Amino acid sequence: MVLLFTLLFLVFAHYPYSTSSYPSSTEWRSARATYYAPADPRDAIGGACGYGDVEKAGYGKATAGLSTVLFQKGQICGACFEVRCVEDLQWCIPGTSIIVTATNFCAPNYGFPADGGGKCNPPNPHFVLPIEIFEKIAIWKASNMPIQYRRIKCRKEGGIRFTIDGAGIFLSVMISNVAGAGDLAAVKIKGSRTGWLPMNRNWGQNWHINADMKNQPLSFEVTSSDGLTVTSYNVAPKEWNFGQSFEGKQF
């Protein structure tokens, strides 16, 4: 696990991410998509976004791993995309599209050129989909397909979920089930004995802070990439413990 975090840090350190709002939902952009088989364990721990078991976390199988230029150092985690197959009459399923959530990172392979095997290398925009989802828009034999994608608003049931982890004064919060833009640009935390304290992105949608927050109810203020903010007061009770999840308000 430490090796995974180290590799993610080394890769992301080379590419800045944008905090600008996502493009208009009507703006289709070109990319390519491949699939992975059900036996592939890449989502066993929730991939690079840290959602854990993505099906149990409510994302189902409609998920995607994104290449470096799309992943934005993990800020994109939780964002929703509509994807459709284009340009290939032999393999595309006409009139279909899918909606997927960004939950993973497709790492670059610099042993191959971007146009010759390094499908997730910069500057390629690329989606890696579960085969069950890929087959909704294209025949599986197509393998590497031209697609179009666009950002759309996420629709979620229930409120934003805050899963608390850590030890001592190190507090880590994984934030999931975010509607609207789906991804977060800033998070603040407040205890009954503190003011609002900014949290730092650890990786994906895991946010952390070094502060003694035990034995006090916790509130959260989250700001999405489109600039909207939701505040959930006293989400966690005074007796909260590491490993627990709590539900707050929703966008």
Side-chain angles (χ1 to χ4, degrees):
M1 187 65 69
V2 173
L3 177 60
L4 171 62
F5 294 164
T6 302
L7 289 173
L8 289 173
F9 175 80
L10 291 175
V11 172
F12 299 159
H14 291 287
Y15 303 100
Y17 65 87
S18 171
T19 58
S20 60
S21 60
Y22 56 84
S24 167
S25 61
T26 60
E27 183 181 352
W28 289 96
R29 298 186 173 192
S30 297
R32 298 191 73 87
T34 50
Y35 63 83
Y36 63 91
D40 192 323
R42 72 180 63 216
D43 272 337
I45 59 168
C49 291
Y51 291 130
D53 186 319
V54 291
E55 292 195 43
K56 291 182 179 179
Y59 295 104
K61 293 185 181 298
T63 59
L66 304 183
S67 60
T68 302
V69 296
L70 296 176
F71 194 67
Q72 300 177 14
K73 281 186 169 180
Q75 180 181 315
I76 204 68
C77 289
C80 297
F81 297 86
E82 183 177 7
V83 177
R84 65 187 183 187
C85 182
V86 295
E87 298 178 11
D88 196 321
L89 298 179
Q90 180 180 6
W91 304 115
C92 289
I93 299 176
T96 61
S97 68
I98 54 175
I99 295 175
V100 296
T101 303
T103 62
N104 207 347
F105 174 57
C106 180
N109 183 350
Y110 294 114
F112 296 93
D115 59 354
K119 59 182 183 295
C120 289
N121 293 2
N124 296 341
H126 195 94
F127 287 70
V128 181
L129 307 171
I131 189 171
E132 301 94 330
I133 303 303
F134 183 91
E135 287 184 313
K136 294 182 182 295
I137 59 172
I139 307 301
W140 68 271
K141 291 183 179 179
S143 184
N144 192 341
M145 287 296 298
I147 62 166
Q148 289 181 335
Y149 70 97
R150 62 180 177 181
R151 283 286 298 267
I152 62 171
K153 288 187 176 182
C154 300
R155 296 182 179 181
K156 302 295 180 183
E157 294 183 1
I160 297 172
R161 285 195 289 270
F162 302 88
T163 301
I164 302 175
D165 207 343
I169 64 170
F170 177 78
L171 187 74
S172 175
V173 180
M174 191 273 286
I175 304 176
S176 60
N177 201 54
V178 180
D183 56 343
L184 300 177
V187 176
K188 293 181 180 179
I189 187 172
K190 181 183 183 300
S192 58
R193 301 193 300 269
T194 74
W196 285 105
L197 305 173
M199 302 188 74
N200 295 313
R201 187 190 305 275
N202 193 2
W203 59 293
Q205 289 301 354
N206 285 269
W207 298 76
H208 75 274
I209 189 172
N210 288 311
D212 184 8
M213 307 299 291
K214 291 291 290 183
N215 301 312
Q216 52 187 314
L218 302 180
S219 303
F220 294 93
E221 179 186 280
V222 298
T223 301
S224 57
S225 63
D226 57 359
L228 299 180
T229 297
V230 165
T231 304
S232 299
Y233 290 99
N234 301 322
V235 171
K238 178 181 178 180
E239 300 82 12
W240 65 266
N241 285 305
F242 294 117
Q244 291 183 312
S245 295
F246 303 95
E247 187 172 303
K249 292 184 178 181
Q250 186 60 273
F251 285 98

